């Protein structure tokens, strides 16, 4: 999947993002993933950790009937076990700014 644009570094890293998106494309083959869609997803999800995103994409494959929206992936990440929380959420939980 060589569609990833150059943006701000992801907390999860580009490799983890590509892996998760590749999983989703494989699970939902009728979805047409455009470069613009990749950019939108990357910008919206860049604050989340690789573990959290990986968990959300695995859950989406099992639970979603259609390619998940950004909002659906964020909801899956927010409902994930604590080890999948974003760096910002972990800092807030620990009282660190």
């Amino acid at each position: 999947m060589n569609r990833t644009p150059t943006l701000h570094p992801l907390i999860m890293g580009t490799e983890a993002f590509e892996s998760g998106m590749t999983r989703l494309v494989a699970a939902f083959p009728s979805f047409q993933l455009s470069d613009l869609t990749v950019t939108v997803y990357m910008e919206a999800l860049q604050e989340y950790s690789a573990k959290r995103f990986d968990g959300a994409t695995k859950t989406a494959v099992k639970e979603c009937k259609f390619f998940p929206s950004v909002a659906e992936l964020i909801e899956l990440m927010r409902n994930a076990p604590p080890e999948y929380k974003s760096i910002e959420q972990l800092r807030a939980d620990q009282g660190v700014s």
Side-chain angles (χ1 to χ4, degrees), residues 22-90:
T22 299
R23 176 182 295 119
L24 294 174
V25 169
F28 304 97
S30 63
F31 184 79
Q32 297 297 313
L33 188 64
S34 70
D35 290 344
L36 179 57
T37 302
V38 171
T39 300
V40 169
Y41 275 65
M42 184 181 272
E43 288 174 346
L45 302 171
Q46 64 185 341
E47 71 182 73
Y48 293 93
S49 69
K51 280 187 174 184
R52 199 158 177 91
F53 183 66
D54 184 62
T57 59
K58 287 177 180 176
T59 301
V61 167
K62 294 175 190 172
E63 296 182 8
C64 294
K65 293 181 180 183
F66 304 101
F67 196 95
S69 67
V70 169
E72 288 172 310
L73 289 171
I74 290 172
E75 183 177 344
L76 291 171
M77 288 187 278
R78 286 183 179 155
N79 294 330
E83 65 269 19
Y84 293 123
K85 285 188 175 182
S86 72
I87 299 300
E88 295 305 315
Q89 289 169 325
L90 290 172

Side-chain angles (χ1 to χ4, degrees), residues 9-21:
L10 296 172
I11 290 174
M12 73 175 81
T14 302
E15 186 176 317
F17 178 79
E18 287 181 355
S19 175
M21 293 301 283

